[in-house]
Amino acid sequence: MFSAIQTVYGAQPIDTLRTPAKIAVAFCTLALFMELALKKIVLVAFDQFTDIDLFLMWDILGRNTEDWHVRILGSSAIVRSAHGLPVSVHGPLSEANSADAVLFVSGKEGIPAALAAPDFLPSFELDSRRQRIGSICAGAFILERLGLLSGQATTHPDARSSLQALGLEPVDQPLVCQGNVATAGGCLSALYLVGWLVESWFDVGKRRATLLPVLPAGQQELYDALIGLSIRQGALYDRPSQQETRHGMSSNW
Amino acid sequence: MFSAIQTVYGAQPIDTLRTPAKIAVAFCTLALFMELALKKIVLVAFDQFTDIDLFLMWDILGRNTEDWHVRILGSSAIVRSAHGLPVSVHGPLSEANSADAVLFVSGKEGIPAALAAPDFLPSFELDSRRQRIGSICAGAFILERLGLLSGQATTHPDARSSLQALGLEPVDQPLVCQGNVATAGGCLSALYLVGWLVESWFDVGKRRATLLPVLPAGQQELYDALIGLSIRQGALYDRPSQQETRHGMSSNW
C-alpha cells in the first residue's frame, strides 16, 4: 500500500514530507484501506437474463457503499434482459474469480444459452472456501455445472424437475444454504439470498438495515420475520457441512 | 380499421379479393383488433429513479403480452437510475395521456428534480375517470402535484412527514386505493400496486396468474394471501369515492 502512496509522491520517503503532506498521506492511506476493506460482490448476467433477478439484488445491495461494492459482470459489454433492456456491464466474467461473493441470476432462455456458450463456464474458477456463491432460480444450473451443488438445492418451481433430473434433490422452499453456497427459488427470494449473504458476513442487524428500505410500509415487521425465518429454514440443510467442519474435514461447498 | 387494411391492399374493395386475400384480410383484422384490445400501461421514469421501483413493475407486467403492453416513458431518450444504470425509454412523457394505466416510480433525489424540471409536470394531462393512475413511494408527490390526491395516501415510511406537510393523511400501510388512483409505499409494495391494477381490470385469477411467477418457492400461498389482504386493506379508503359514484356524483379521483 505504501509503495502506491510513494508512487504518488515520486518515491520521496514519507518521513521527509512536511506536515500537510503527511496529513495527505494519512488520508490517502485511510482511503486505500477502506477501499481494500470493502467486500466485492459481483452479479453475473448474460443475454436474456430475468430482469427482476438482476435488478432486485442490484438495488438492495447498491444502497450500501460503506461495506461492499457491487458490479455487474457479463461476457459482452452489453447484455440484454429477457424483456429487452440493454445493460452495460461493469467487467468481464473473470472478475468473479477474485470477488468475495458471486451471485448468478436466472433466465428461462438465457441460462441454456449461457451454458452452451463456449466462453461462459470456462471463465469461472470459483472457490467456495473463500467465496460466498449464490443463485436465483435457474442460476442453480450454473452452480451445478460448476460442481458447486450436491444433495439439496432450490430453484424456480417450474424448473424443479430439471434439477431433479441432474441428480439433485429439489426442495420446495425459497432458500437452501450449504456452507458458503446458497440457492434461491422464485424471483422475490432474492430478498432471502441477499439477507443470507449479509447476515453471514456481518450480523442480523446489518441484514435488517440492508433490507428495511425496500420493505412494504406497515408490513416491515412481518417481512423481517419472514426473511429471518426463511434464512433459518435455508440453513437447515447446512448441518452435514457444519459437522464436517467441526471434525476438521475440508468441505467442497 | 378497414381503411388501414384497404391501404395495405391499395384501396381495392375487400369483396372483390380472392379467397386467400380474404383470409389475409381477416387475419390482419383480427391482429389489429387484438392490438387495439391490449391495454396500454406506461411506467414514468426520470433521472435518479429508484432502480427497483421501475424494474420490478417492468418485469412482472412484461411477462404478459396478451392482455397489455408496457412502455417506459421519460423526458429524455435515456434516463439514469439512482444506482447509475442508463435506461433507454420507449417514448415521451406525453404518451402517458393516452395510456390506460400510468404508474409513477420513485427516487429520493429523482422526484424533487423531476418536480422542479419545467417540462415534467406540464407534460401530463391525466384523467382518473378513464385511466388507472398509481405511484410507488415518493411517486405520490407527483400525483399530489397533479391534483390526483386528497385525504389518505401512502408513501415510503421515510417520506411520510413530507406527505403530511402537504395536507394529506399518510397511512401506515403498503397500498391506499381511491377509485382509479392508488398510492403504494415501500419498494416491494409494487407487488400490491400491480396486483390492484390487474385485479381491478380483470379479476383475482388474472392477478394471481400475473404475480405467481415471481413469488418465492414454497411461500406462494402465503404471498398470495398477503397480496390479497393488502389489496383489500388498500380498498378500505375507497368507500367515500364509491358512495359518491353510487349517488351519481362525479368524482375527481
Side-chain angles (χ1 to χ4, degrees):
Chain A
M1 192 183 297
F2 275 107
S3 62
I5 296 164
Q6 286 186 329
T7 302
V8 175
Y9 285 88
Q12 185 180 1
I14 290 171
D15 53 6
T16 67
L17 296 174
R18 294 178 188 171
T19 302
K22 281 181 180 170
I23 293 171
V25 167
F27 185 78
C28 186
T29 306
L30 182 66
L32 271 169
F33 178 77
M34 288 175 70
E35 175 66 23
L36 289 172
L38 281 179
K39 291 185 183 296
K40 181 178 175 182
I41 303 171
V42 299
L43 309 177
V44 178
F46 33 77
D47 280 328
Q48 298 282 88
F49 70 86
T50 300
D51 300 52
I52 195 175
D53 286 353
L54 179 69
F55 297 126
L56 193 54
M57 296 196 290
W58 166 255
D59 187 319
I60 295 172
L61 289 165
R63 292 168 188 237
N64 179 322
T65 54
E66 293 177 358
D67 297 304
W68 54 74
H69 58 89
V70 193
R71 285 165 67 82
I72 299 171
L73 308 184
S75 59
S76 55
I78 293 176
V79 291
R80 194 169 290 270
S81 80
H83 293 333
L85 287 185
V87 173
S88 300
V89 308
H90 304 122
L93 297 176
S94 58
E95 263 195 37
N97 302 327
S98 60
D100 298 297
V102 185
L103 303 176
F104 291 90
V105 303
S106 184
K108 194 173 182 180
E109 295 174 19
I111 287 284
L115 291 178
D119 60 341
F120 186 78
L121 287 172
S123 300
F124 300 108
E125 292 179 12
L126 306 184
D127 184 349
S128 61
R129 289 170 301 186
R130 60 175 174 81
Q131 297 177 294
R132 299 283 197 284
I133 303 167
S135 65
I136 286 284
C137 296
F141 293 92
I142 301 176
L143 266 54
E144 191 276 336
R145 288 285 292 275
L146 292 173
L148 293 160
L149 297 183
S150 69
Q152 297 88 359
T154 190
T155 184
H156 193 282
D158 294 346
R160 208 172 287 153
S161 58
S162 302
L163 207 61
Q164 196 164 24
L166 295 171
L168 293 165
E169 184 188 331
V171 181
D172 188 25
Q173 64 183 49
L175 186 72
V176 172
C177 317
Q178 292 187 319
N180 283 341
V181 178
T183 50
C187 308
L188 290 180
S189 61
L191 278 181
Y192 310 142
L193 185 65
V194 167
W196 161 78
L197 177 66
V198 175
E199 189 173 318
S200 69
W201 267 343
F202 299 92
D203 52 32
V204 172
K206 182 77 75 179
R207 182 256 288 168
R208 285 188 170 137
T210 303
L211 293 171
L212 184 70
V214 305
L215 302 184
Q219 296 181 347
Q220 293 174 329
E221 288 185 12
L222 187 155
Y223 271 83
D224 183 62
L226 188 57
I227 292 164
L229 177 74
S230 301
I231 295 173
R232 298 287 87 75
Q233 184 192 40
L236 288 176
Y237 294 94
D238 202 15
R239 286 173 186 162
S241 171
Q242 285 178 337
Q243 284 169 353
E244 282 179 1
T245 307
R246 279 190 211 109
H247 289 87
M249 293 170 66
S250 65
S251 167
N252 67 342
W253 288 114
Chain B
M1 191 185 297
F2 275 108
S3 62
I5 297 165
Q6 285 186 332
T7 303
V8 175
Y9 284 89
Q12 185 180 0
I14 289 171
D15 53 7
T16 67
L17 296 174
R18 292 178 188 170
T19 303
K22 281 181 179 171
I23 293 171
V25 167
F27 185 79
C28 186
T29 307
L30 182 65
L32 270 170
F33 179 78
M34 288 176 69
E35 175 64 26
L36 289 172
L38 280 179
K39 292 185 183 295
K40 182 177 174 183
I41 303 171
V42 299
L43 310 177
V44 178
F46 34 78
D47 280 329
Q48 297 282 88
F49 71 86
T50 300
D51 300 53
I52 195 175
D53 286 354
L54 179 68
F55 297 127
L56 194 56
M57 296 197 291
W58 166 255
D59 188 318
I60 295 172
L61 289 166
R63 291 168 188 238
N64 180 323
T65 55
E66 293 177 0
D67 297 305
W68 55 74
H69 58 89
V70 193
R71 285 165 67 82
I72 299 172
L73 308 184
S75 60
S76 56
I78 293 176
V79 290
R80 195 170 288 270
S81 79
H83 293 333
L85 287 185
V87 173
S88 299
V89 307
H90 304 124
L93 297 176
S94 58
E95 262 194 37
N97 303 327
S98 60
D100 297 298
V102 186
L103 303 176
F104 291 90
V105 303
S106 184
K108 194 172 180 180
E109 295 174 19
I111 287 283
L115 291 177
D119 60 340
F120 187 78
L121 287 173
S123 299
F124 300 108
E125 292 178 12
L126 306 184
D127 183 350
S128 61
R129 289 170 302 185
R130 60 175 174 81
Q131 297 176 295
R132 299 282 197 286
I133 303 167
S135 65
I136 287 283
C137 297
F141 293 93
I142 300 176
L143 266 55
E144 191 275 336
R145 287 285 291 276
L146 291 173
L148 292 160
L149 296 183
S150 69
Q152 296 89 358
T154 189
T155 185
H156 193 282
D158 295 346
R160 208 171 287 153
S161 57
S162 302
L163 207 61
Q164 196 164 24
L166 295 171
L168 292 165
E169 184 189 330
V171 180
D172 188 24
Q173 63 182 49
L175 186 72
V176 172
C177 316
Q178 293 188 317
N180 283 341
V181 178
T183 51
C187 307
L188 289 180
S189 62
L191 277 181
Y192 310 142
L193 185 65
V194 167
W196 161 79
L197 178 66
V198 175
E199 188 173 320
S200 70
W201 267 344
F202 300 93
D203 52 34
V204 172
K206 182 79 76 181
R207 183 257 286 168
R208 284 188 170 137
T210 303
L211 294 171
L212 184 70
V214 305
L215 302 184
Q219 297 181 347
Q220 293 175 327
E221 288 186 12
L222 187 155
Y223 271 83
D224 184 62
L226 188 56
I227 292 163
L229 178 75
S230 301
I231 294 173
R232 300 286 88 75
Q233 185 192 40
L236 289 176
Y237 295 94
D238 201 14
R239 286 173 187 163
S241 172
Q242 286 178 337
Q243 284 169 353
E244 281 179 4
T245 306
R246 280 191 209 107
H247 289 86
M249 293 171 65
S250 65
S251 166
N252 67 342
W253 289 113

